[in-house]
Structures are given as C-alpha cells and as structure tokens.
Amino acid sequence: MAEPAARMQHQRDFALTIDGQFVAGDETLDVIDPATEEVFAIAPAAGREHLEQAVAAARRALRAWRALSFEERAELIRQYSVLLRERKHELGELLTREQGKPIGQSVAEFERGTAQADGMAGIEIPVEVLLEDDNRRIELHYRPLGVVGIITPWNAPAALALGSLSAALYTGNTVVLKPSPYTPLTTLRMGELAQQVFPPGVVNVLAAGNDLGQWMTEHPDIDKISFTGSVATGKKVLATASETLKRVTLELGGNDPAIVLDDADPQAIARSLFFACFVNSGQVCMAVKRIYAHESVYEELCSALVDEANAARVGNGLDPDTKLGPLQNRMQYEKVSEILEETKNNGATVLTGGEIPDRPGYFIPPTLVTDVDDDSRIVSEEQFGPVVPILKFTDPEDALRRANDTRYGLSGSVWTSDPARGKALAERMEVGTAWVNQHRAVSAYVPFGGAKQSGLGRQYSIIGLKGYMEPKVVSVAKQ
Ligand code: NAD
C-alpha cells in the first residue's frame, strides 16, 4: 500500500548539522521502511564540501571545548541526555520506521544509550603519578585527540552513536558523526537536538552514502575514527586511516557462541537465551549466533527454544504486540535468505521457522536449525539475522574448542547451574567479553570490544575513554 503523501517526510524535515547551522544536502537519500519496503522519507545527503565545512567547524570549536573541565562537559552531556529522554517516544517512532525494531526496543535504545552516556560522563580520568622520588616527578596526563569522526551501522544507530559521541565529547574532542545511509534520520534528528546544548561546531552530523565514510577516514584534519560496523569495512577503515596515522577504535562483527552445559536447566534459560539470539531479529553484534548444547539437555533445550520462537510475534515494529521486526534492509534480507536456503539444501533439520513469508517487508521468522556442519556458513559466518544453529556436544572441551575455532572474538557465554564451573570455561573463551548465565549485559563502566578480528580497542569504561585521548608524560626534574 502506498504511503499517504501527508506522512511522507521530505528532505526539508531533516537537515545536516554543520557549525550549529541546519543545512540542506547536495543530493538526497531515499529512506525505506523495512516493514513495508516503501520509501517513507527523503534525507539530505552531504557532499565533500559539507565534510570540509564540518571538519573546519569542529576544529574551530576545539579550542574552547577542550578548555572546559571534565565536569563542565559532563554537565552538557547530561543535559543532552535529558533532552533525548524527553523525546524518546517521538525519536523511538522514527527509529522504528527506519530501522524496523519493535517500538519498545527503540524507546529503550534511547534510555540505555543516554544512561551509558551519563555513566561515562561520571568516570574520573585523573592525572597519574608514575614515579616520584627525590630527583623527579613523572606524571601521565590524558589530552584530547582533536576532531573525532564517528561512523555507525544500521542496527542500533542511536545507542551506538551515543556511546561514541559521549566518550569523544567528554574527553574534550569535537565530532563529525555519520550514520549508515540505511538509517540516517534518527541520527540527523539527534544532531539537530544537540545544538540546543552544545556550542556550534562541537557536534556536526552528516548523512550520505559509504563514500562519505571513506572521505572521513582519509581526511587529514580528522584525528581519530570511531567505527562500528562489519569486519570487512573495518579493515578498509584501518588501511585508509594508516595514511594519516589516525587513532582508530573498531567495533566489528561477531559470531558469538553460547555453550549450554549438562547441568543447565533448559526451561529456566530458554527465554534469556532465545532473546540473546533473536532480539532485533538477530541483528546485534553481540547476539548469540550459534548454540552448543550438551547431548543430555539438547532435546529439551531445542523444544524450549522452539516454544519461545513460536510465541514471539513477528510484525511491523510500530505494532506494540510485535516482538520481532523485519530485517533492516534488502541486502541483509537477501544474505540471510541465501544462507537459510543453503542450510536447508545441505540437509539441515529446521526445528521452527525456515519459510520466508510472501508479503511486503523484509520479514524472516525466527528459525532454529540442527544437523549442520561446523564449517557450514550458518555456523562459521556472522549471519546477522534470525536463523540460529543448535549444535550438539558430548565433551565440554570439544565445545570450547569449536566455540573458539573462529576469526571472530566479540563475546560468548556459558550456561550452567554451577557458576564457578561456568566461569572456569568462560575464562578460556577467546573473546572480549565472556558471560555466565547471561549474554549482552553491557555497562558504561565495563569495557566492551572484540578480540581477534572482531575489533581493535574498547568502548565504554575508563579503558574506552582513554582511547579518545593521547597519553602525555610530564616529567619534572627536582632542583
Ligand atoms: P558496514 O560496515 O557495512 O557499515 C558501517 C558504516 O560504515 C556505515 O555508516 C557505512 O556507510 C560506513 N562505510 C561503508 N564503507 C565505508 C568505507 N569504505 N570507509 C568508511 N566507512 C564506510 O556495517 P553495517 O552492515 O552497517 O552493520 C552491521 C555490522 O556492524 C555487523 O557486522 C555487526 O556485527 C557490526 N556491529 C558491531 C558492533 C560492535 O560494537 N562490535 C555493534 C553494532 C554492529
């Protein structure tokens, strides 16, 4: 059904934000509602000249911004959080329309994102005294890096922008922020709202295609790139950034394993484990993407997860009863559909789901498969969608070896009724975060990021914040 003209949002409804001004683009981006496949909004797209203006504005704003104290900058970040929370329903609806996730989760993305921003803006970054004796005092200071380019993906545009933005700003940097061309609107709106709080030039937001990301990564006046996205693009960012020796934080893809031990209670863990796999229709970097279940709990776990899948309503995210929305874009929908077809053709057993409905929208029902090989695509690749394999094991050592047998290393979890036993196994997972009896638990105070090819550096916590700063030694000889 065609979108009524009155509800179509035009380029004039959204703007690029450069130096505190709202600016039209050279070109436009069609924004598609993934639940209907209709273009429902037209966003402005920036050209190279806009990037030049934004970087110049960010550099001009830097001197005054870095001169503020941590506490002064924290106060403005908290004011911005209040503004976003006041508008979380309006912003959440916009996020659902462009991204597809259920409306409750869109609103929660603002609650979570602002809570993390506020948390980080409360972390003290003291001058460290490295050595003091009769002859000298050596201190370690942390200085802002300068202009930070932030590049975000389409799966959680608001929370991921807020995480990088608040870290960069709190530590005294100014910012040029670029969302994914699939989901530009919420971030453009966040850029407009930021002007109510931050001085001109401190937060600049530009939307455009992938070229803009490449231009940012090449730009000699951008000092750091904070990138969240796929492993393939992350490698390009790292290669391009090396030309100017930019600092980089790379938050990349994952293929998280969950190991369910023989003493786990399948009924008790099924709901948590189901949503760890399928929240946002599996489009979460740290979603569980493969389950290893001990043979003694395997049948019961499969059936408990199937019950969860059958109870989870799939539909338009604007419907408050929806638990799982569509895939965000056609490319991802086709990729997951192709992996599903290949999995079925290779003889997998489909426990539930597996049939793609003939309806508008990028919908794939929650699908659980078994009888798949470790080297099949559904096990070895990041599917980033609602199709999850369950694999059987006998020996936990074998499960751990298979869980670790990947180039990815974002996170993983162990599920057991014996937390100490779970912890012992979790400690041997080759990941940035290993959880026991939980998954996806993140906090402003805890570093998050990938081992192996899942990333470089960390976000959040004092470790993440230091990634936005240059350590500087001040060494004073005593008379
Ligand atoms: P993507 O790599 O295709 O795009 C991410 C961003 O990079 C977009 O803004 C895009 O326009 C931009 N971009 C594209 N080409 C570029 C280039 N050559 N130089 C600079 N920027 C460029 O990723 P996606 O498909 O949007 O997002 C999904 C991926 O993101 C998944 O792999 C997921 O696991 C990962 N992700 C990781 C985390 C994390 O914290 N580790 C969080 C969310 C998503």
Side-chain angles (χ1 to χ4, degrees):
M1 197 175 72
E3 189 65 18
R7 291 215 55 196
M8 176 86 172
Q9 292 176 294
H10 288 275
Q11 185 189 358
R12 63 178 174 273
D13 296 332
F14 298 91
L16 312 173
T17 298
I18 303 173
D19 204 11
Q21 305 293 312
F22 304 133
V23 179
D26 287 345
E27 297 182 9
T28 57
L29 292 168
D30 286 351
V31 186
I32 293 172
D33 179 338
T36 63
E37 297 180 56
E38 300 283 345
V39 174
F40 79 100
I42 308 287
R48 247 187 209 273
E49 189 50 33
H50 294 115
L51 177 63
E52 293 306 327
Q53 292 164 4
V55 173
R59 198 146 284 287
R60 276 194 305 277
L62 192 55
R63 179 190 282 260
W65 182 250
R66 67 194 298 169
L68 297 179
S69 66
F70 280 102
E71 188 39 49
E72 285 168 324
R73 292 191 295 257
E75 175 52 30
L76 294 180
I77 289 168
R78 287 191 290 266
Q79 283 178 27
Y80 183 49
S81 290
V82 169
L83 198 61
L84 294 177
R85 278 195 291 269
E86 281 169 1
R87 301 198 176 215
K88 65 183 180 183
H89 294 291
E90 171 196 332
L91 289 164
E93 187 177 328
L94 187 62
L95 180 55
T96 289
R97 288 218 71 194
E98 66 174 347
Q99 203 284 333
K101 66 182 64 177
I103 182 75
Q105 289 168 31
S106 289
V107 172
E109 189 167 325
F110 280 93
E111 291 164 345
R112 196 178 68 244
T114 54
Q116 291 196 307
D118 293 352
M120 271 193 289
I123 294 174
E124 211 185 323
I125 305 177
V127 170
E128 295 164 28
V129 179
L130 301 178
L131 186 110
E132 178 151 35
D133 59 21
D134 293 344
N135 302 321
R136 63 214 156 129
R137 178 181 167 95
I138 304 178
E139 295 177 349
L140 188 58
H141 296 233
Y142 290 91
R143 307 283 305 147
L145 287 170
V147 176
V148 175
I150 299 173
I151 301 175
T152 55
W154 44 256
N155 63 327
L160 295 169
L162 272 168
S164 297
L165 188 66
S166 50
L169 295 179
Y170 177 57
T171 49
N173 305 281
T174 55
V175 162
V176 178
L177 165 61
K178 184 203 98 66
S180 164
Y182 292 114
T183 52
L185 302 178
T186 313
T187 311
L188 288 171
R189 196 64 94 221
M190 288 165 64
E192 292 166 30
L193 290 169
Q195 306 317 303
Q196 294 182 29
V197 175
F198 300 107
V202 170
V203 177
N204 305 277
V205 179
L206 304 178
N210 294 341
D211 283 354
L212 175 61
Q214 164 105 16
W215 301 337
M216 289 168 69
T217 312
E218 287 167 353
H219 203 291
D221 274 339
I222 292 182
D223 302 287
K224 174 186 169 104
I225 295 286
S226 175
F227 174 84
T228 310
S230 62
V231 172
T233 312
K235 288 179 182 175
K236 289 186 197 163
V237 167
L238 188 59
T240 310
S242 72
E243 285 300 313
T244 45
L245 277 179
K246 280 182 183 47
R247 279 41 178 169
V248 290
T249 302
L250 302 177
E251 288 287 348
L252 308 180
N255 191 6
D256 284 12
I259 300 177
V260 181
L261 296 179
D262 55 353
D263 60 1
D265 176 351
Q267 299 300 334
I269 67 171
R271 177 144 309 168
S272 302
L273 189 52
F274 176 78
F275 282 102
C277 298
F278 290 100
V279 70
N280 200 12
S281 294
Q283 302 165 111
V284 178
C285 56
M286 59 181 129
V288 170
K289 296 187 177 113
R290 34 191 187 125
I291 299 172
Y292 295 90
H294 188 268
E295 59 186 356
S296 67
V297 291
Y298 175 83
E299 297 294 342
E300 199 185 341
L301 184 70
C302 287
S303 112
L305 288 171
V306 166
D307 289 347
E308 292 293 335
N310 294 342
R313 186 169 161 155
V314 178
N316 188 319
L318 293 175
D319 178 345
D321 293 331
T322 291
K323 291 282 181 291
L324 302 177
L327 280 279
Q328 198 281 322
N329 59 67
R330 173 156 290 280
M331 184 195 64
Q332 191 61 25
Y333 171 74
E334 285 175 354
K335 178 185 155 187
V336 178
S337 305
E338 187 188 296
I339 293 178
L340 174 59
E341 278 316 303
E342 194 178 305
T343 305
K344 289 199 290 191
N345 291 341
N346 286 344
T349 304
V350 177
L351 295 178
T352 187
E355 295 302 324
I356 297 181
D358 183 15
R359 61 178 278 192
Y362 307 131
F363 291 100
I364 298 180
T367 299
L368 290 160
V369 296
T370 57
D371 302 319
V372 290
D373 291 335
D374 282 4
D375 60 1
S376 61
R377 282 179 77 193
I378 190 62
V379 179
S380 62
E381 283 187 21
E382 184 192 35
Q383 70 275 46
F384 216 59
V387 181
V388 174
I390 310 177
L391 302 115
K392 202 187 285 186
F393 70 86
T394 307
D395 176 3
E397 287 301 320
D398 179 49
L400 182 68
R401 182 191 55 73
R402 292 158 74 191
N404 284 339
D405 184 18
T406 168
R407 69 190 173 122
Y408 292 102
L410 194 57
S411 30
S413 52
V414 182
W415 301 74
T416 168
S417 56
D418 179 351
R421 185 176 171 221
K423 179 168 176 280
L425 208 58
E427 284 175 7
R428 293 166 59 209
M429 281 184 147
E430 295 167 0
V431 291
T433 304
W435 288 288
V436 177
N437 292 330
Q438 55 180 344
H439 204 103
R440 292 194 313 122
V442 291
S443 147
Y445 309 106
V446 179
F448 182 78
K452 300 184 188 174
Q453 293 191 23
S454 286
L456 205 58
R458 294 290 183 269
Q459 290 276 77
Y460 308 112
S461 82
I462 193 158
I463 294 176
L465 291 173
K466 285 180 178 175
Y468 289 82
M469 307 192 87
E470 190 71 50
K472 177 179 172 186
V473 173
V474 179
S475 182
V476 180
K478 295 182 176 171
Q479 296 291 350

